[in-house]
Structures are given as C-alpha cells and as structure tokens.
Amino acid sequence: MATDNSSELFPVVDEEGNVIASASRGECHCGSRLLHPVVHLHVFDQSGRLYLQKRPGWKDIQPGKWDTAVGGHIDFGEDIMTALRREAFEELGLTDFDPEPLESYVFESDRERELVNSFRTVINTLPQPSDELDGGRFWSLSEIRDSLGCGILTPNFEQEFIRLFKDIDT
C-alpha cells in the first residue's frame, strides 16, 4: 500500500507566502500548525460541472473523501506555478490548461495550517486520474451543494467551494 512520505521537505511560510524555514511533511501534519503552501486547481468542464478527485484510503489527511480536482504541496525551492503544473500532470494528466488565479488564503484544521493558492480552469478533455487518486468525476454544482456537510467532501474543499463558488448558478 502507498503512503505519504513523512520526510518530504516543505517550505514554511508567513501569511504573505515568504519562505521563512523548512519542515518535513510529518512535522507540518502533526498538529504543529506550521504554515506551509499548497496549490489547488478547480477544473470545470464546458457545461460548468466541477471535477472532484477521490482521496485514496492511505492518505494521512482526509482519506476516502472527495476533494478539489488538483491539490498538492509546494516543494521546498519550488514556485507556485511549477507546483500547480506538476500536480495537475501527476494527479490528472493535465498539461494544456490556462490557470486563472482566484485567491490565496490560510486554511486551518486541528492538524495543520496551509497557505492555499487557488486557481480555476475550464477544459474540454476528460481528466485521467493517476494511481495517486482513487478516481474522480465531474459533479454538478447543485450536486456539490447537496453534499455539503454530509461527510463525503473534505472540510477544506467545502470551505473553499463556499468561499469561491457559492454564488455561481448551476
């Protein structure tokens, strides 16, 4: 069974995204609340449906839940756009997309703090989920709204969906 690499090195940042230190994945995810940057890519199809990935059972955070199409940590020494394109390719095989920046904000849970750099794109192909995921599919926005608070979506995705897309018509 696959596992997350707890020794993988992440940048530790301030709330403006300036790197101030480095720490391992294990240190960042153990309740230390070290702020570390991530990228999220919300992938829409031409019909306005939003692609969600299903997190595999072996993940150390929110296993088995539906989440943002692409989400991943920025590696130490890596810039935001390089991380976004790397994660989009690794997770969904996406190479030809135009990311539109949405916003950056701090997400906090009981185990971690992330500086989330969120983007959106519209594609006209079907994503090809890698073995890093447990699959994925396009959801209508009303289907997502109906699933909020039911325990099947990650809390991070739910909060970000409400923050970014609550006013979009379905």
Side-chain angles (χ1 to χ4, degrees):
M1 176 170 76
T3 60
D4 282 320
N5 178 359
S6 64
S7 62
E8 182 179 4
L9 199 59
F10 295 158
V12 175
V13 298
D14 62 21
E15 292 191 5
E16 287 75 47
N18 300 304
V19 178
I20 56 174
S22 64
S24 70
R25 173 190 289 269
E27 291 170 312
C28 289
H29 288 180
C30 72
S32 68
R33 316 216 1 107
L34 293 170
L35 185 62
H36 55 287
V38 299
V39 291
H40 287 176
L41 180 65
H42 297 278
V43 177
F44 288 87
D45 67 8
Q46 300 291 329
S47 301
R49 297 179 305 163
L50 185 57
Y51 192 89
L52 300 183
Q53 64 157 275
K54 187 163 188 197
R55 295 177 62 80
W58 53 262
K59 294 299 286 181
D60 64 347
I61 301 283
Q62 299 295 325
K65 296 204 175 172
W66 290 91
D67 202 0
T68 308
V70 173
H73 292 90
I74 297 174
D75 292 336
F76 189 74
E78 187 175 44
D79 66 66
I80 293 170
M81 290 310 294
T82 300
L84 183 70
R85 292 198 176 278
R86 175 181 52 77
E87 289 289 345
F89 178 73
E90 287 176 3
E91 294 185 356
L92 297 180
L94 298 179
T95 56
D96 186 23
F97 64 95
D98 184 25
E100 173 192 336
L102 295 172
E103 72 175 280
S104 296
Y105 66 93
V106 174
F107 170 78
E108 300 187 42
S109 74
D110 59 345
R111 289 187 61 187
E112 65 176 337
R113 288 178 70 223
E114 295 179 331
L115 179 60
V116 179
N117 299 280
S118 57
F119 297 82
R120 67 170 290 177
T121 194
V122 177
I123 62 171
N124 58 12
T125 60
L126 188 61
Q128 300 299 313
S130 73
D131 59 5
E132 285 188 21
L133 311 179
D134 197 14
R137 68 177 178 87
F138 282 102
W139 296 53
S140 70
L141 299 186
S142 61
E143 186 179 13
I144 292 171
R145 286 185 185 102
D146 290 346
S147 299
L148 294 173
C150 295
I152 61 172
L153 306 169
T154 66
N156 190 346
F157 172 75
E158 288 188 353
Q159 288 180 25
E160 190 163 304
F161 179 83
I162 291 166
R163 177 185 202 109
L164 301 174
F165 307 120
K166 69 177 177 172
D167 296 325
I168 292 179
D169 291 330
T170 52

Coordinates of all heavy atoms in Angstrom, one line a residue, residues 78-146:
E78 N 10.4 25.3 -4.8 CA 9.6 25.3 -6.0 C 8.7 26.5 -6.0 O 8.2 26.9 -4.9 CB 8.7 24.0 -6.0 CG 7.9 23.7 -7.2 CD 7.2 22.4 -7.1 OE1 6.6 22.0 -6.1 OE2 7.2 21.7 -8.1
D79 N 8.4 27.1 -7.1 CA 7.4 28.2 -7.2 C 6.0 27.7 -7.4 O 5.8 26.5 -7.7 CB 7.8 29.2 -8.2 CG 7.7 28.7 -9.6 OD1 6.6 28.4 -10.1 OD2 8.8 28.6 -10.3
I80 N 5.0 28.6 -7.2 CA 3.6 28.2 -7.2 C 3.2 27.6 -8.6 O 2.6 26.6 -8.6 CB 2.7 29.4 -6.9 CG1 3.0 29.9 -5.4 CG2 1.3 29.2 -7.1 CD1 2.3 31.2 -5.0
M81 N 3.5 28.3 -9.7 CA 3.1 27.8 -11.0 C 3.7 26.5 -11.3 O 3.1 25.6 -11.9 CB 3.3 28.8 -12.1 CG 2.4 30.1 -11.9 SD 0.7 29.7 -11.7 CE 0.3 29.0 -13.3
T82 N 5.0 26.3 -11.0 CA 5.6 25.0 -11.3 C 4.9 23.9 -10.5 O 4.7 22.8 -11.0 CB 7.1 25.1 -10.9 OG1 7.7 26.1 -11.7 CG2 7.8 23.7 -11.1
A83 N 4.6 24.2 -9.2 CA 3.9 23.2 -8.4 C 2.5 22.9 -8.9 O 2.1 21.7 -9.0 CB 3.8 23.7 -6.9
L84 N 1.8 23.9 -9.4 CA 0.5 23.8 -9.9 C 0.5 22.9 -11.2 O -0.3 21.9 -11.3 CB -0.1 25.1 -10.3 CG -1.6 25.1 -10.8 CD1 -2.5 24.6 -9.7 CD2 -2.0 26.4 -11.4
R85 N 1.4 23.1 -12.1 CA 1.5 22.3 -13.3 C 2.0 20.9 -13.0 O 1.5 20.0 -13.6 CB 2.4 23.0 -14.3 CG 1.7 24.3 -14.8 CD 2.3 24.8 -16.1 NE 1.5 26.0 -16.6 CZ 0.4 25.9 -17.3 NH1 -0.2 24.8 -17.6 NH2 -0.2 27.0 -17.7
R86 N 2.9 20.8 -12.1 CA 3.4 19.4 -11.7 C 2.3 18.6 -11.1 O 2.0 17.5 -11.5 CB 4.5 19.6 -10.7 CG 5.0 18.2 -10.1 CD 6.1 18.3 -9.1 NE 5.9 19.2 -8.0 CZ 5.1 19.0 -7.0 NH1 4.4 17.8 -6.9 NH2 4.9 19.9 -6.0
E87 N 1.5 19.2 -10.2 CA 0.4 18.5 -9.5 C -0.7 18.1 -10.5 O -1.2 17.0 -10.5 CB -0.1 19.3 -8.4 CG 0.8 19.3 -7.2 CD 0.9 18.0 -6.4 OE1 0.1 17.1 -6.6 OE2 1.9 17.9 -5.6
A88 N -1.0 19.1 -11.4 CA -2.1 18.8 -12.4 C -1.7 17.7 -13.3 O -2.5 16.8 -13.7 CB -2.3 20.1 -13.3
F89 N -0.4 17.6 -13.7 CA 0.0 16.5 -14.5 C 0.1 15.2 -13.7 O -0.4 14.1 -14.2 CB 1.4 16.7 -15.1 CG 2.0 15.6 -15.9 CD1 1.4 15.3 -17.2 CD2 3.0 14.8 -15.4 CE1 1.9 14.2 -17.9 CE2 3.4 13.7 -16.2 CZ 2.9 13.4 -17.4
E90 N 0.7 15.2 -12.5 CA 0.8 14.0 -11.7 C -0.6 13.4 -11.3 O -0.8 12.2 -11.3 CB 1.5 14.3 -10.4 CG 3.0 14.5 -10.5 CD 3.7 14.9 -9.2 OE1 3.0 14.9 -8.2 OE2 4.9 15.1 -9.3
E91 N -1.6 14.3 -11.0 CA -2.8 13.8 -10.5 C -3.8 13.5 -11.6 O -4.6 12.5 -11.5 CB -3.4 14.7 -9.5 CG -2.6 14.8 -8.2 CD -3.2 15.7 -7.1 OE1 -4.2 16.3 -7.3 OE2 -2.5 15.7 -6.0
L92 N -3.9 14.3 -12.6 CA -4.9 14.2 -13.7 C -4.4 14.1 -15.1 O -5.2 14.1 -16.0 CB -5.9 15.3 -13.6 CG -6.7 15.4 -12.3 CD1 -7.7 16.6 -12.3 CD2 -7.5 14.1 -12.0
G93 N -3.1 14.1 -15.3 CA -2.5 14.1 -16.6 C -2.8 15.3 -17.4 O -2.6 15.3 -18.6
L94 N -3.1 16.5 -16.8 CA -3.4 17.7 -17.5 C -2.1 18.4 -17.8 O -1.2 18.6 -16.9 CB -4.2 18.6 -16.6 CG -5.6 18.1 -16.3 CD1 -6.4 19.1 -15.4 CD2 -6.4 17.8 -17.5
T95 N -1.9 18.8 -19.0 CA -0.7 19.6 -19.4 C -1.1 20.9 -20.2 O -0.4 21.9 -20.1 CB 0.2 18.8 -20.4 OG1 -0.6 18.4 -21.5 CG2 0.8 17.6 -19.7
D96 N -2.3 20.9 -20.9 CA -2.7 22.0 -21.7 C -3.9 22.7 -21.0 O -5.0 22.4 -21.4 CB -3.0 21.5 -23.1 CG -3.3 22.7 -24.0 OD1 -2.8 23.8 -23.8 OD2 -4.0 22.5 -25.1
F97 N -3.6 23.6 -20.1 CA -4.7 24.3 -19.5 C -4.2 25.7 -19.1 O -3.0 26.0 -19.0 CB -5.2 23.6 -18.2 CG -4.1 23.5 -17.1 CD1 -4.1 24.4 -16.1 CD2 -3.2 22.4 -17.1 CE1 -3.2 24.2 -15.0 CE2 -2.3 22.3 -16.1 CZ -2.2 23.2 -15.1
D98 N -5.2 26.6 -19.0 CA -4.9 28.0 -18.7 C -5.4 28.3 -17.3 O -6.6 28.5 -17.1 CB -5.5 28.9 -19.7 CG -5.2 30.4 -19.5 OD1 -4.1 30.7 -18.9 OD2 -6.0 31.2 -19.9
P99 N -4.5 28.3 -16.3 CA -4.9 28.5 -14.9 C -5.3 30.0 -14.6 O -4.5 30.9 -14.9 CB -3.8 28.1 -14.0 CG -2.6 28.2 -14.9 CD -3.0 28.0 -16.3
E100 N -6.4 30.3 -14.1 CA -6.8 31.6 -13.7 C -6.7 31.7 -12.2 O -7.4 31.0 -11.4 CB -8.3 31.8 -14.1 CG -8.9 33.1 -13.6 CD -10.4 33.1 -13.8 OE1 -11.0 32.4 -14.6 OE2 -11.1 33.9 -13.0
P101 N -5.9 32.6 -11.7 CA -5.7 32.8 -10.2 C -7.0 33.2 -9.6 O -7.7 34.1 -10.1 CB -4.7 33.8 -10.0 CG -4.1 34.1 -11.4 CD -5.0 33.6 -12.4
L102 N -7.4 32.6 -8.4 CA -8.6 33.0 -7.7 C -8.2 33.8 -6.5 O -8.4 35.0 -6.4 CB -9.4 31.8 -7.3 CG -10.0 31.0 -8.5 CD1 -10.6 29.7 -8.1 CD2 -11.0 31.9 -9.3
E103 N -7.6 33.2 -5.5 CA -7.2 33.9 -4.3 C -6.3 33.0 -3.5 O -6.2 31.8 -3.7 CB -8.3 34.4 -3.4 CG -9.1 33.3 -2.7 CD -10.2 33.9 -1.8 OE1 -9.8 34.4 -0.6 OE2 -11.3 34.0 -2.1
S104 N -5.5 33.6 -2.6 CA -4.7 32.9 -1.6 C -5.3 33.2 -0.2 O -5.7 34.3 0.1 CB -3.3 33.3 -1.6 OG -2.7 33.0 -2.9
Y105 N -5.3 32.2 0.6 CA -5.9 32.3 2.0 C -5.3 31.3 2.9 O -4.7 30.3 2.4 CB -7.4 32.3 2.0 CG -7.9 30.9 1.6 CD1 -8.2 30.0 2.6 CD2 -8.1 30.5 0.3 CE1 -8.7 28.7 2.2 CE2 -8.5 29.3 -0.1 CZ -8.8 28.4 0.9 OH -9.3 27.1 0.6
V106 N -5.4 31.5 4.2 CA -4.9 30.5 5.2 C -6.1 29.6 5.6 O -7.2 30.0 6.0 CB -4.3 31.2 6.4 CG1 -4.0 30.1 7.5 CG2 -3.1 32.0 6.0
F107 N -5.9 28.2 5.4 CA -6.8 27.2 5.8 C -6.2 26.6 7.1 O -5.0 26.3 7.2 CB -7.0 26.1 4.8 CG -7.8 25.0 5.3 CD1 -9.2 25.0 5.4 CD2 -7.1 23.8 5.7 CE1 -9.9 23.9 5.9 CE2 -7.8 22.7 6.2 CZ -9.2 22.8 6.3
E108 N -7.1 26.5 8.1 CA -6.6 25.9 9.4 C -7.5 24.7 9.8 O -8.7 24.8 9.7 CB -6.7 26.9 10.5 CG -5.8 28.1 10.2 CD -5.6 29.1 11.4 OE1 -5.5 28.6 12.5 OE2 -5.7 30.3 11.1
S109 N -6.9 23.6 10.2 CA -7.6 22.5 10.8 C -7.0 22.2 12.1 O -6.0 22.8 12.5 CB -7.6 21.3 9.8 OG -6.3 20.7 9.9
D110 N -7.4 21.1 12.8 CA -6.8 20.8 14.0 C -5.4 20.2 13.9 O -4.6 20.1 14.8 CB -7.7 19.8 14.8 CG -8.0 18.5 14.1 OD1 -7.7 18.4 12.8 OD2 -8.4 17.5 14.7
R111 N -5.0 19.8 12.6 CA -3.7 19.1 12.4 C -2.8 20.0 11.6 O -1.6 19.7 11.6 CB -3.9 17.8 11.6 CG -4.6 16.7 12.4 CD -4.6 15.4 11.7 NE -3.3 15.0 11.3 CZ -3.0 13.9 10.5 NH1 -4.0 13.2 10.1 NH2 -1.8 13.5 10.3
E112 N -3.2 21.0 10.9 CA -2.3 21.8 10.0 C -2.8 23.1 9.7 O -4.0 23.4 9.9 CB -2.1 21.0 8.7 CG -3.3 20.8 7.9 CD -3.1 20.1 6.6 OE1 -1.9 20.1 6.1 OE2 -4.0 19.6 6.0
R113 N -1.9 23.9 9.2 CA -2.2 25.3 8.6 C -1.6 25.3 7.2 O -0.4 25.0 7.1 CB -1.7 26.4 9.4 CG -2.4 26.6 10.7 CD -1.7 27.7 11.6 NE -2.0 29.0 10.9 CZ -1.1 30.0 10.8 NH1 0.2 29.8 11.2 NH2 -1.4 31.1 10.2
E114 N -2.4 25.7 6.2 CA -1.9 25.7 4.8 C -2.2 27.1 4.3 O -3.3 27.7 4.5 CB -2.7 24.7 3.9 CG -2.4 23.3 4.3 CD -3.2 22.3 3.4 OE1 -4.3 22.7 2.9 OE2 -2.7 21.2 3.2
L115 N -1.2 27.6 3.5 CA -1.5 28.8 2.7 C -1.9 28.3 1.3 O -1.1 27.8 0.5 CB -0.2 29.7 2.6 CG -0.4 30.9 1.7 CD1 -1.4 31.9 2.3 CD2 1.0 31.6 1.6
V116 N -3.2 28.4 1.1 CA -3.8 27.8 -0.2 C -3.7 28.9 -1.3 O -4.2 30.0 -1.1 CB -5.3 27.4 0.1 CG1 -5.9 26.9 -1.2 CG2 -5.4 26.4 1.2
N117 N -3.2 28.5 -2.4 CA -3.1 29.3 -3.6 C -4.1 28.6 -4.6 O -3.8 27.6 -5.2 CB -1.7 29.3 -4.2 CG -0.7 29.9 -3.2 OD1 -0.6 31.1 -3.1 ND2 0.0 29.1 -2.5
S118 N -5.3 29.2 -4.8 CA -6.3 28.6 -5.6 C -6.4 29.2 -7.0 O -6.3 30.4 -7.2 CB -7.6 28.6 -4.8 OG -8.0 29.9 -4.5
F119 N -6.7 28.3 -7.9 CA -6.8 28.6 -9.3 C -8.0 27.8 -9.9 O -8.5 26.9 -9.3 CB -5.6 28.1 -10.1 CG -4.3 28.8 -9.7 CD1 -3.6 28.4 -8.6 CD2 -3.8 29.9 -10.4 CE1 -2.4 29.0 -8.2 CE2 -2.6 30.5 -10.0 CZ -2.0 30.1 -8.9
R120 N -8.5 28.3 -11.1 CA -9.5 27.5 -11.8 C -9.2 27.5 -13.3 O -8.4 28.3 -13.8 CB -10.9 28.2 -11.6 CG -11.0 29.5 -12.3 CD -12.4 30.0 -12.3 NE -13.2 29.2 -13.2 CZ -14.4 29.4 -13.5 NH1 -15.2 30.3 -12.9 NH2 -15.1 28.6 -14.4
T121 N -9.7 26.5 -13.9 CA -9.5 26.3 -15.4 C -10.8 25.6 -15.9 O -11.5 25.0 -15.2 CB -8.2 25.6 -15.7 OG1 -7.9 25.8 -17.1 CG2 -8.3 24.1 -15.4
V122 N -10.9 25.8 -17.2 CA -12.0 25.1 -18.0 C -11.3 24.2 -19.0 O -10.4 24.7 -19.7 CB -13.0 26.1 -18.7 CG1 -14.0 25.3 -19.5 CG2 -13.6 27.0 -17.6
I123 N -11.7 23.0 -19.1 CA -11.1 22.0 -20.0 C -12.1 21.4 -20.9 O -13.3 21.4 -20.5 CB -10.2 20.9 -19.3 CG1 -11.1 20.1 -18.4 CG2 -9.1 21.6 -18.5 CD1 -10.4 18.8 -17.8
N124 N -11.7 20.9 -22.0 CA -12.7 20.2 -22.9 C -12.2 18.7 -23.1 O -12.6 18.1 -24.1 CB -12.9 20.9 -24.2 CG -11.6 21.1 -25.0 OD1 -10.5 20.5 -24.6 ND2 -11.6 21.9 -26.0
T125 N -11.4 18.2 -22.2 CA -11.0 16.8 -22.2 C -11.4 16.1 -20.9 O -11.8 16.8 -20.0 CB -9.5 16.7 -22.4 OG1 -8.8 17.4 -21.3 CG2 -9.0 17.3 -23.7
L126 N -11.3 14.8 -20.9 CA -11.6 14.1 -19.7 C -10.3 13.9 -18.9 O -9.4 13.3 -19.4 CB -12.3 12.8 -20.0 CG -12.8 12.0 -18.8 CD1 -13.9 12.8 -18.1 CD2 -13.4 10.7 -19.3
P127 N -10.3 14.3 -17.6 CA -9.1 14.1 -16.8 C -8.8 12.6 -16.7 O -9.7 11.8 -16.7 CB -9.4 14.7 -15.5 CG -10.5 15.7 -15.8 CD -11.3 15.1 -16.9
Q128 N -7.5 12.2 -16.6 CA -7.1 10.9 -16.4 C -6.5 10.7 -15.0 O -5.3 10.9 -14.9 CB -6.1 10.5 -17.5 CG -6.7 10.6 -18.9 CD -7.9 9.7 -19.1 OE1 -7.8 8.5 -18.8 NE2 -8.9 10.2 -19.7
P129 N -7.3 10.3 -14.0 CA -6.7 10.3 -12.7 C -5.6 9.2 -12.6 O -5.7 8.1 -13.1 CB -7.9 9.8 -11.8 CG -9.1 9.8 -12.7 CD -8.7 10.0 -14.1
S130 N -4.5 9.6 -11.9 CA -3.4 8.7 -11.7 C -3.7 7.8 -10.5 O -4.7 7.9 -9.8 CB -2.1 9.5 -11.4 OG -2.2 10.0 -10.1
D131 N -2.7 6.9 -10.3 CA -2.9 6.0 -9.1 C -2.6 6.7 -7.8 O -2.7 6.1 -6.7 CB -2.0 4.7 -9.3 CG -0.5 5.1 -9.4 OD1 -0.1 6.2 -9.3 OD2 0.3 4.1 -9.6
E132 N -2.3 8.0 -7.8 CA -2.2 8.8 -6.6 C -3.6 9.0 -6.0 O -3.8 9.4 -4.9 CB -1.6 10.2 -6.9 CG -0.1 10.2 -7.0 CD 0.4 11.6 -7.1 OE1 -0.2 12.5 -6.6 OE2 1.5 11.8 -7.6
L133 N -4.6 8.8 -6.9 CA -6.0 9.1 -6.5 C -6.8 7.8 -6.5 O -6.4 6.8 -7.1 CB -6.7 10.1 -7.5 CG -5.9 11.3 -7.8 CD1 -6.6 12.2 -8.9 CD2 -5.6 12.1 -6.6
D134 N -8.0 7.9 -6.0 CA -9.0 6.8 -6.0 C -10.1 7.1 -7.0 O -11.3 6.9 -6.7 CB -9.5 6.5 -4.6 CG -10.2 5.1 -4.5 OD1 -10.0 4.3 -5.4 OD2 -10.9 4.9 -3.5
G135 N -9.7 7.7 -8.1 CA -10.6 8.1 -9.2 C -11.1 9.5 -9.0 O -10.6 10.3 -8.3
G136 N -12.1 9.9 -9.8 CA -12.7 11.2 -9.8 C -13.8 11.3 -10.9 O -13.9 10.4 -11.7
R137 N -14.5 12.4 -10.8 CA -15.6 12.6 -11.8 C -16.1 14.0 -11.7 O -15.8 14.8 -10.8 CB -16.8 11.6 -11.5 CG -17.5 11.9 -10.2 CD -18.7 11.0 -10.1 NE -19.5 11.1 -8.8 CZ -20.5 12.0 -8.7 NH1 -20.9 12.8 -9.7 NH2 -21.1 12.1 -7.5
F138 N -16.8 14.4 -12.7 CA -17.4 15.8 -12.8 C -18.7 15.7 -11.9 O -19.5 14.8 -12.0 CB -17.7 16.2 -14.2 CG -16.5 16.7 -14.9 CD1 -15.9 15.9 -15.9 CD2 -16.0 18.0 -14.7 CE1 -14.8 16.3 -16.5 CE2 -14.9 18.4 -15.3 CZ -14.3 17.6 -16.3
W139 N -18.9 16.8 -11.1 CA -20.1 16.9 -10.3 C -20.8 18.2 -10.8 O -20.2 19.2 -11.0 CB -19.8 17.1 -8.9 CG -19.1 16.0 -8.2 CD1 -18.0 15.3 -8.6 CD2 -19.5 15.4 -6.9 NE1 -17.7 14.4 -7.7 CE2 -18.5 14.4 -6.7 CE3 -20.5 15.6 -6.0 CZ2 -18.6 13.6 -5.5 CZ3 -20.6 14.9 -4.9 CH2 -19.6 13.9 -4.6
S140 N -22.2 18.2 -10.8 CA -22.9 19.5 -11.0 C -22.7 20.3 -9.7 O -22.5 19.8 -8.6 CB -24.4 19.2 -11.3 OG -25.0 18.8 -10.1
L141 N -22.8 21.6 -9.8 CA -22.7 22.5 -8.6 C -23.8 22.2 -7.6 O -23.6 22.3 -6.4 CB -22.6 23.9 -9.0 CG -21.4 24.3 -9.9 CD1 -21.4 25.8 -10.1 CD2 -20.1 23.8 -9.4
S142 N -25.0 21.9 -8.1 CA -26.1 21.6 -7.2 C -25.9 20.3 -6.5 O -26.2 20.1 -5.3 CB -27.5 21.5 -8.0 OG -27.5 20.5 -9.0
E143 N -25.2 19.3 -7.2 CA -24.9 18.0 -6.5 C -23.9 18.3 -5.4 O -24.0 17.7 -4.3 CB -24.3 17.1 -7.5 CG -24.0 15.7 -7.0 CD -23.5 14.8 -8.1 OE1 -23.1 15.2 -9.2 OE2 -23.4 13.6 -7.8
I144 N -22.9 19.2 -5.6 CA -21.9 19.5 -4.6 C -22.6 20.2 -3.5 O -22.4 19.9 -2.3 CB -20.8 20.4 -5.2 CG1 -20.0 19.6 -6.2 CG2 -19.9 21.0 -4.1 CD1 -19.0 20.4 -7.0
R145 N -23.5 21.2 -3.8 CA -24.2 21.9 -2.7 C -25.0 20.9 -1.8 O -25.1 21.1 -0.6 CB -25.1 23.0 -3.3 CG -24.4 24.2 -3.8 CD -25.3 25.3 -4.3 NE -24.5 26.4 -4.9 CZ -24.4 26.6 -6.2 NH1 -25.0 25.8 -7.0 NH2 -23.7 27.6 -6.6
D146 N -25.7 20.0 -2.5 CA -26.5 19.0 -1.7 C -25.6 18.1 -0.9 O -26.1 17.5 0.1 CB -27.3 18.1 -2.7 CG -28.4 18.8 -3.4 OD1 -28.8 19.9 -2.9 OD2 -28.9 18.3 -4.4

